[in-house]
């Protein structure tokens, strides 16, 4: 009986080590992708290699891809059935923040227009 218990305990420890290694690998992959999506836009903005109209678009695309990287590798949100509720919650929060931010900018720009 005790041998069976030890083998289960060892099996659980081995599974935990394998899972920990997988998590570490995923975090390191996410970190590497985040760095690769951060450094080039900074270099492009600093050096001015691209035309002025192109650089903001490159930065915006890199930012959107980086959002996906953060959601996938750090927040563990993917398109699986279990995680869909988390994704819907995040998207609803983004919608509310966009509505509040856009409404605030709209009201303030309207007030500025009326004052001049």
């Amino acid at each position: 009986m005790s041998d069976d218990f030890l083998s289960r305990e060892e099996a659980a420890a081995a599974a935990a080590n394998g899972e920990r290694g997988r998590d570490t690998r995923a975090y390191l992959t996410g970190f590497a992708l985040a760095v690769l999506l951060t450094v080039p836009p900074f270099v492009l903005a600093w050096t001015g290699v691209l035309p002025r109209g192109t650089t903001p678009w490159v930065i915006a695309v890199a930012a959107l891809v980086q959002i996906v990287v953060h959601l996938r590798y750090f927040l563990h949100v993917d398109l699986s059935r279990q995680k869909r509720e988390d994704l819907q919650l995040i998207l609803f929060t983004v919608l509310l923040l966009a509505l509040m931010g856009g409404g605030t900018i709209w009201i303030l720009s309207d007030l500025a227009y009326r004052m001049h």
Side-chain angles (χ1 to χ4, degrees):
M1 182 88 177
S2 65
D3 291 336
D4 187 38
F5 179 73
L6 288 177
S7 64
R8 287 182 190 172
E9 192 175 278
E10 289 171 354
N17 284 337
E19 189 175 318
R20 188 178 310 134
R22 210 169 338 146
D23 287 346
T24 302
R25 196 173 317 118
Y27 282 122
L28 289 175
T29 302
F31 177 73
L33 287 172
V35 168
L36 288 175
L37 290 167
T38 300
V39 173
F42 272 99
V43 171
L44 289 175
W46 183 39
T47 60
V49 174
L50 295 178
R52 288 184 63 136
T54 307
T55 302
W57 287 104
V58 171
I59 292 171
V61 168
L64 290 174
V65 173
Q66 193 166 102
I67 288 171
V68 172
V69 166
H70 282 266
L71 287 173
R72 170 65 182 93
Y73 288 100
F74 300 122
L75 297 176
H76 306 290
V77 174
D78 53 12
L79 297 177
S80 68
R81 192 88 164 134
Q82 299 167 345
K83 305 288 183 170
R84 228 173 261 166
E85 292 174 359
D86 293 339
L87 182 60
Q88 288 174 348
L89 181 64
I90 290 170
L91 291 175
F92 183 68
T93 303
V94 168
L95 174 68
L96 288 178
L97 290 173
L99 286 173
M100 288 191 304
T104 301
I105 291 171
W106 181 14
I107 290 170
L108 290 177
S109 64
D110 185 56
L111 286 174
Y113 174 75
R114 291 175 187 238
M115 289 179 72
H116 295 294

